[in-house]
Amino acid sequence: MKLILLGAPGAGKGTVAKLLTEIDGSVQISTGDILRGAVQVGSELGKQADAFMKVGDLVPDELIMGIMETRLQEPDCDKGFLLDGFPRTIPQAEALKVLLDKIGIDLDMAVNIDVPRDVILDRLTTRRTCSNGDCQAIYNVKSNPPRQEGVCDKCGSPVIQREDETAEAISHRLETYNEKTAPLIGFYEKEALLITVTATSSDAVITAIKEKLEQ
Ligand code: ADP
Ligand code: ZN
């Protein structure tokens, strides 16, 4: 499957993407994970992205398109891909359309995961992430804590609160979402690719996506 996952920070895009990869081997492509990995190893990309990410601002479109142009042409994308956190602005969506035309790929759909704001806020403040750039497993101190406090179940690295998950950065990320990313819902509606799923459980989102793909 070739899907775009849309939704506010904390809507569950990453969790849904991971579950979908298990269905047919499609790969999850998370621009947030790629950028955090780059910051951690201190690459040129990481140095350019770091200051934007810390405060909850978007990284410039040109940097993101540079990453995605390469990533989408890697061989593992032949099996399908789940775009998680990209596109995030109208210019990125337009550039993606041109890129996919050029490399001859058709999207199946763009899934808008719609979650109430109070649920989002609660999730973001209780979310914890594995600090290992190659793992980045997601936990929640209330609903899904690691077996041993502060230690990743999967790789044993420290589980931390992301730097952009302070109250201030979270509210800035939500504003940025409303202003820059929410307009993509209308964009993909016009492209006749949009489905909206209103659900707070990732299993319910998966079921809705499967049903739609089978139609
Ligand atoms: P979330 O969806 O929880 O906000 P992500 O992991 O997707 O978090 O992204 C974290 C940060 O990485 C964003 O706040 C932004 O600074 C940067 N980022 C990720 N994807 C993009 C993108 N497509 N365009 C611009 N910035 C991005
Ligand atoms: Zn880990």
Side-chain angles (χ1 to χ4, degrees):
M1 57 187 118
K2 297 186 169 77
L3 303 187
I4 293 174
L5 299 173
L6 292 174
K13 300 182 295 288
T15 308
V16 166
K18 286 201 175 71
L19 292 168
L20 290 172
T21 61
E22 289 161 17
I23 296 176
D24 69 351
S26 297
V27 288
Q28 174 188 12
I29 305 179
S30 158
T31 41
D33 285 354
I34 294 171
L35 293 168
R36 276 185 294 279
V39 170
Q40 198 180 46
V41 300
S43 67
E44 194 46 46
L45 171 67
K47 281 181 202 143
Q48 292 181 48
D50 195 25
F52 296 102
M53 294 177 73
K54 266 193 189 130
V55 294
D57 271 337
L58 294 180
V59 170
D61 291 335
E62 309 78 71
L63 273 187
I64 299 290
M65 290 317 301
I67 300 172
M68 291 307 294
E69 178 140 18
T70 313
R71 184 65 191 89
L72 282 170
Q73 297 186 69
E74 280 168 20
D76 62 348
C77 290
D78 292 349
K79 281 177 281 179
F81 50 76
L82 309 154
L83 303 184
D84 158 16
F86 169 85
R88 237 188 179 86
T89 63
I90 293 282
Q92 289 180 20
E94 278 165 351
L96 174 65
K97 191 176 169 192
V98 172
L99 173 62
L100 292 177
D101 272 349
K102 187 178 92 181
I103 57 185
I105 291 176
D106 281 328
L107 292 171
D108 296 313
M109 58 194 179
V111 184
N112 174 30
I113 308 175
D114 187 23
V115 176
R117 192 181 162 99
D118 54 327
V119 177
I120 295 270
L121 276 175
D122 188 57
R123 277 190 195 163
L124 290 174
T125 45
T126 53
R127 179 154 85 176
R128 299 292 181 272
T129 308
C130 172
S131 60
N132 170 0
D134 293 327
C135 175
Q136 304 200 33
I138 297 167
Y139 297 93
N140 184 290
V141 287
K142 282 197 217 157
S143 59
N144 174 34
R147 283 192 294 271
Q148 188 186 339
E149 198 186 323
V151 182
C152 179
D153 293 347
K154 298 200 175 98
C155 76
S157 303
V159 169
I160 54 154
Q161 182 160 28
R162 272 168 40 182
E163 219 168 343
D164 62 355
E165 288 183 341
T166 59
E168 211 184 351
I170 287 172
S171 79
H172 189 58
R173 278 162 61 209
L174 291 174
E175 272 166 35
T176 306
Y177 170 79
N178 287 333
E179 187 188 325
K180 305 259 175 66
T181 310
L184 295 185
I185 295 169
F187 181 94
Y188 286 109
E189 201 161 27
K190 277 202 203 112
E191 298 277 312
L193 286 171
L194 188 80
I195 69 158
T196 291
V197 185
T198 306
T200 48
S201 101
S202 22
D203 287 337
V205 177
I206 302 286
T207 306
I209 292 174
K210 275 190 186 157
E211 271 170 15
K212 196 74 191 177
L213 284 171
E214 278 157 16
Q215 275 172 21

